[in-house]
């Protein structure tokens, strides 16, 4: 395993280009002899989407879904943990590629 590959993986994780879970998967691939973590992440579709407008569209879709009404009401009533359901729905609709921190920020802004 090349040091340059580890540095690149660390930088990708620091910039939130890959989630910590996906970084672990990429690290294991590097240990097994793979090269170039960025190319590997692209091939395995592990890069996170941090495009605010793309995530905002998914957030709006989730917030307009009638199934989200109870969680929205809970959040407005001060039950902050209910936001987890909404973030989970964003992650589900984005096939796990949305940046969860950005999704949570956008949900809070809209509520």
């Amino acid at each position: 395993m090349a040091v340059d590959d580890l540095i690149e993986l660390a930088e990708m994780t620091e910039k939130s280009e890959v989630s910590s879970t996906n970084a672990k998967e990429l690290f294991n691939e590097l240990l097994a002899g793979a090269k170039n973590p960025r190319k590997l992440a692209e091939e395995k579709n592990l890069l996170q989407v941090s495009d605010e407008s793309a995530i905002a569209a998914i957030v709006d879709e989730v917030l307009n879904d009638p199934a989200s009404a109870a969680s929205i009401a809970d959040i407005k009533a001060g039950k902050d943990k209910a936001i987890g359901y909404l973030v989970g729905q964003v992650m589900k609709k984005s096939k796990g590629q949305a940046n969860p921190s950005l999704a949570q920020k956008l949900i809070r802004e809209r509520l």
Side-chain angles (χ1 to χ4, degrees):
M1 172 174 21
V3 173
D4 291 343
D5 289 337
L6 287 177
I7 292 170
E8 184 173 8
L9 178 59
E11 289 172 350
M12 291 170 61
T13 305
E14 184 178 340
K15 293 177 186 175
S16 295
E17 293 176 351
V18 293
S19 68
S20 60
T21 302
N22 290 340
K24 289 175 192 173
E25 181 178 335
L26 292 169
F27 180 76
N28 287 331
E29 294 276 347
L30 292 174
L31 283 176
K35 305 282 184 206
N36 194 332
R38 180 168 306 282
K39 184 177 179 186
L40 187 60
E42 289 169 358
E43 289 171 0
K44 292 183 161 260
N45 210 19
L46 299 177
L47 292 174
Q48 279 192 145
V49 175
S50 292
D51 175 4
E52 191 165 327
S53 62
I55 296 174
I58 297 170
V59 165
D60 290 340
E61 186 180 333
V62 167
L63 293 178
N64 290 322
D65 186 341
S68 300
S71 292
I72 292 169
D74 287 348
I75 293 166
K76 289 182 178 180
K79 297 178 185 172
D80 208 39
K81 287 187 177 187
I83 200 163
Y85 170 80
L86 299 176
V87 173
Q89 292 305 303
V90 170
M91 297 306 292
K92 182 177 177 182
K93 288 186 180 292
S94 71
K95 297 181 174 96
Q97 291 187 309
N99 180 322
S101 299
L102 181 56
Q104 186 175 39
K105 174 185 165 264
L106 293 171
I107 291 168
R108 290 186 188 284
E109 287 175 359
R110 284 162 169 70
L111 297 180

